């Protein structure tokens, strides 16, 4: 597990959130999730300007084994997407916590961050 992930928050659905400190967050899928998926071959990105609602689908990651919905861990507006994933979706496998991010979201309800899990709590949940 990347040491970078220690400061991130996690959803039980395997998405991570990095607070950018400016009212936005960066969102991606966890190392655990990309490992379960295997080789990622396609990422369906949301559109800039899209509105997300916490716990609702906002993206899709396809691998050689499966397709998996990505759920928004927070509500807000998509302000940036990682366009590099269109040509190089395997970045999600290579660097899930850094270069493999999916979108940046401007928070509409910052208190939702408090409902997310710490790295330790997320990892404990994987054992269940």
């Amino acid at each position: 597990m990347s040491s970078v992930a220690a400061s991130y928050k996690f959803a039980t659905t395997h998405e991570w959130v990095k607070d950018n400190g400016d009212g936005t967050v960066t969102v991606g899928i966890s190392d655990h999730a990309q490992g379960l998926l295997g080789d990622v071959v396609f990422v369906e990105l949301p559109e800039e300007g899209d509105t997300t609602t916490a716990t609702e689908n906002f993206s899709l990651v396809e691998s050689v084994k499966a397709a998996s919905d990505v759920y928004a861990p927070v509500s807000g507006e998509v302000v940036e997407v990682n366009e590099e994933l269109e040509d190089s979706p395997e970045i999600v496998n290579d660097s899930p916590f850094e270069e493999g991010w999916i979108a940046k979201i401007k928070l509409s309800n910052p208190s939702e961050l408090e409902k997310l899990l710490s790295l330790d709590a997320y990892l404990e949940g994987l054992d269940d």
Side-chain angles (χ1 to χ4, degrees), residues 19-116:
D19 188 344
N20 297 321
D22 62 358
T24 69
V25 296
T26 304
V27 176
I29 64 168
S30 71
D31 186 55
H32 177 75
Q34 71 79 22
L36 289 175
L37 283 167
D39 294 336
V40 174
V41 295
F42 176 74
V43 178
E44 181 180 278
L45 297 170
E47 297 284 330
E48 288 182 18
D50 281 358
T51 300
T52 63
T53 301
T55 72
E56 291 190 6
N57 177 345
F58 89 110
S59 179
L60 178 78
V61 176
E62 292 184 17
S63 71
V64 294
K65 294 195 289 186
S68 181
D69 289 331
V70 179
Y71 298 94
V74 294
S75 301
E77 178 187 348
V78 175
V79 293
E80 186 178 348
V81 296
N82 188 353
E83 293 179 1
E84 286 187 45
L85 297 180
E86 291 177 341
D87 295 325
S88 302
E90 69 278 1
I91 296 171
V92 171
N93 296 117
D94 298 337
S95 182
F97 293 112
E98 294 172 321
E99 285 88 33
W101 60 277
I102 293 172
K104 294 185 180 180
I105 298 172
K106 182 178 180 183
L107 296 168
S108 62
N109 187 357
S111 67
E112 288 176 342
L113 291 175
E114 297 167 19
K115 298 176 185 170
L116 299 173

Side-chain angles (χ1 to χ4, degrees), residues 2 10 15 46 84:
S2 168
F10 293 83
E15 294 81 16
E84 286 187 45

